[in-house]
Amino acid sequence: MRSGSTNGSAGSPPGPRREALRPEVGTPVSALLSRMSRSAFQGRKLGEAFEVWKSMIDGDSLVCIGLAGSMASAGLWPLVTWLVERRYVDLVVSTSANVTEDLLEQRGVAFYRLEPERADDERLWREGYYRFYDHVVAKDEYDRMENFTSAFFDDLAGRWPDVSIPGVVFMREFGRWLDTQGLGRSVAATCARHGVPLFVPAAPDGPLAEGYRAAARRGPVVDFFRDYELALRIMDRFMAPGLGTSAVFVGGGVPKDFIQITATSVCAIRGGVEASPHRAAIQITTDNAVFGGLGGASVASEGISWGKESPAGRNVMVFADFTIALPLLCQGLLDHYGPDHVRAARRRIVDDVAALLDDPDPAGRTA
């Protein structure tokens, strides 16, 4: 009887053998993740994401990262600045909260843990605390942080000569201003210092909106459409058949959509014949695809139909809480590359991106 018949004889193995996991004394996280990539379920996907992220770091592509979810309040902002400092990411797209709420701890404000199942939210309101599921922050301190950002709007209005400013340049100026305020460890300041463009396409959806409201002077106008035009200039420079782009999505939301839609826009700019997909993509999410939200739209399947990911690319969906997955991945990268590693291809990318942002074109001033 030939192999592959229905009488119980198996055909050729459809893939590599699944390996069992066993505890090993002294195993670094990097080695564990590599072993997990040969295991099963989301542990396997986390291990595969680790392997793909290493390939991004070792390669020449422009690496983008999208940041959604309450990362800053959860204390994960130092992981983001670590990735920027080591040049593991070249372009950041974030929610407004994740590049402002990181200011709280740097201003000496503490977050406190509580049991969410026993939280009394009415009492928390009376006693002056805002809750982020299982941790809280003092309401007065949070409000002071929002009002603190109003000084940036006053400063920018006094020295920016044009009536408008692209969002990515606005965030660069915000980062530079934070540096002068002794808040150089923040995500925005770290991006500005290392030449990493920081896009916040929904900037009013967060503490910056309160800073704007409280500011004595409100100018220049932030031009978010100009912002996207600059993002496309960067992506068009790098997307295949150039050096290529890669993407890491922490959560979904607007940051993921902003990065993903650049692929369809670049394709249209180039005539709409050949797709301009990311060559590799990782997403860490707990969103489910069956509800139709973009956060659950798989980079390994659905995104391919839009030309956002390559069918030949290394695309990995990790269905896990990012507070579990991201620290493990970053620790694995530290184990693998060592404490002093800096990505080799980064200097050239920084120079190319800076030139694209600082070179004025007929649409207006960019620097």
Side-chain angles (χ1 to χ4, degrees):
M1 186 68 67
R2 69 177 183 173
S3 176
S5 69
T6 58
N7 70 348
S9 298
S12 299
R17 184 168 180 166
R18 191 270 298 139
E19 297 182 12
L21 283 173
R22 296 176 177 83
E24 293 184 0
V25 176
T27 300
V29 173
S30 57
L32 176 61
L33 287 169
S34 293
R35 287 164 51 209
M36 288 169 65
S37 71
R38 302 186 291 274
S39 64
F41 305 137
Q42 297 312 303
R44 168 186 167 185
K45 290 302 175 183
L46 185 63
E48 289 179 357
F50 178 60
E51 298 301 324
V52 173
W53 206 335
K54 287 191 296 181
S55 73
M56 294 179 186
I57 293 169
D58 294 337
D60 294 325
S61 69
L62 178 94
V63 181
C64 311
I65 191 167
L67 307 174
S70 196
M71 296 179 63
S73 82
L76 300 189
W77 59 269
L79 300 181
V80 179
T81 57
W82 181 82
L83 291 168
V84 171
E85 288 166 348
R86 289 170 71 100
R87 304 177 182 173
Y88 290 174
V89 294
D90 306 305
L91 182 148
V92 177
V93 183
S94 177
T95 60
S96 180
N98 280 329
V99 292
T100 47
E101 289 177 349
D102 63 330
L103 302 180
L104 287 163
E105 285 182 289
Q106 294 174 69
R107 284 165 54 85
V109 179
F111 287 82
Y112 300 97
R113 292 171 291 164
L114 51 68
E115 291 301 325
E117 292 81 5
R118 295 193 291 274
D120 184 340
D121 289 293
E122 184 179 357
R123 180 179 177 181
L124 288 172
W125 169 256
R126 289 197 308 268
E127 295 184 353
Y129 287 97
Y130 291 144
R131 180 160 77 99
F132 301 82
Y133 181 59
D134 66 351
H135 53 284
V136 299
V137 69
K139 174 184 180 297
D140 290 347
E141 294 288 2
Y142 192 97
D143 294 349
R144 272 193 284 271
M145 178 272 293
E146 291 182 313
N147 290 332
F148 165 75
T149 65
S150 68
F152 165 66
F153 288 93
D154 294 336
D155 175 77
L156 186 66
R159 61 184 173 79
W160 192 262
D162 294 347
V163 296
S164 67
I165 184 172
V168 65
V169 181
F170 171 84
M171 292 308 303
R172 184 177 68 185
E173 294 302 310
F174 180 54
R176 290 172 174 173
W177 178 79
L178 289 174
D179 239 340
T180 68
Q181 304 300 307
L183 298 168
R185 293 184 299 126
S186 63
V187 172
T190 303
C191 286
R193 195 165 53 251
H194 289 271
V196 172
L198 171 60
F199 292 89
V200 185
D205 184 23
L208 283 171
E210 285 299 300
Y212 178 78
R213 179 193 60 78
R217 290 182 291 181
R218 300 174 181 176
V221 174
V222 181
D223 187 345
F224 292 107
F225 285 103
R226 176 74 175 136
D227 209 28
Y228 191 63
E229 181 181 339
L230 291 172
L232 293 183
R233 292 177 68 185
I234 295 170
M235 292 300 199
D236 190 29
R237 168 72 66 89
F238 287 94
M239 278 180 163
L243 293 175
T245 55
S246 303
V248 178
F249 303 112
V250 182
V254 171
K256 179 187 178 187
D257 195 24
F258 186 93
I259 293 171
Q260 289 288 66
I261 205 170
T262 58
T264 59
S265 295
V266 169
C267 177
I269 290 170
R270 295 175 178 178
V273 178
E274 295 292 333
S276 305
H278 303 300
R279 289 182 166 170
I282 299 165
Q283 185 177 0
I284 304 166
T285 185
T286 55
D287 292 339
N288 195 313
V290 301
F291 299 112
L294 182 62
S298 175
V299 298
S301 56
E302 190 174 334
I304 294 171
S305 75
W306 291 80
K308 297 172 181 177
E309 272 77 43
S310 168
R314 302 183 69 183
N315 307 312
V316 182
M317 288 292 291
V318 183
F319 290 98
D321 184 334
F322 60 73
T323 64
I324 299 170
L326 189 61
L328 288 172
L329 289 170
C330 289
Q331 185 64 47
L333 294 175
L334 176 61
D335 289 345
H336 178 75
Y337 289 106
D340 301 319
H341 180 257
V342 175
R343 184 172 171 232
R346 183 72 174 90
R347 184 69 259 165
R348 183 181 67 255
I349 292 174
V350 167
D351 292 342
D352 284 350
V353 168
L356 291 170
L357 290 179
D358 292 339
D359 179 23
D361 68 17
R365 178 190 170 100
T366 64

